[in-house]
Amino acid sequence: MLTDINLLKWLLDYPRDDITAPIITELDKHLANPDFNKDMTKISEVADKLCCWVKAMRKYYDVNCIVKP
């Protein structure tokens, strides 16, 4: 996935308004893992930024649930 030249475009175009509760339930399992929340910059700058993106999408879902109705 990291070698895909279209990764940035895919992330920018991700249909974030279509994130559903089952997706969030599955995502929360990964976010609860302490390894997911470590400082990834020592391992990979790209991995760190992807983790930040995932966390941002999670926050977006919460805000969207409040604002959307």
Side-chain angles (χ1 to χ4, degrees):
M1 184 177 179
L2 295 178
T3 60
D4 184 356
I5 59 171
N6 295 315
L7 177 62
L8 182 58
K9 181 177 177 0
W10 184 83
L11 292 173
L12 291 171
D13 293 341
Y14 186 80
R16 57 190 166 269
D17 291 324
D18 297 337
I19 298 173
T20 61
I23 292 171
I24 292 301
T25 300
E26 190 65 32
L27 180 62
D28 284 344
K29 293 176 189 176
H30 296 287
L31 291 173
N33 183 342
D35 289 335
F36 192 89
N37 295 304
K38 286 184 179 178
D39 181 16
M40 296 285 243
T41 54
K42 296 175 185 172
I43 300 166
S44 167
E45 190 81 26
V46 175
D48 182 59
K49 299 308 175 202
L50 281 174
C51 288
C52 289
W53 181 84
V54 169
K55 292 173 189 175
M57 290 296 104
R58 177 64 178 95
K59 288 179 185 177
Y60 181 88
Y61 174 81
D62 288 338
V63 171
N64 197 31
C65 285
I66 295 167
V67 174
K68 196 174 189 177

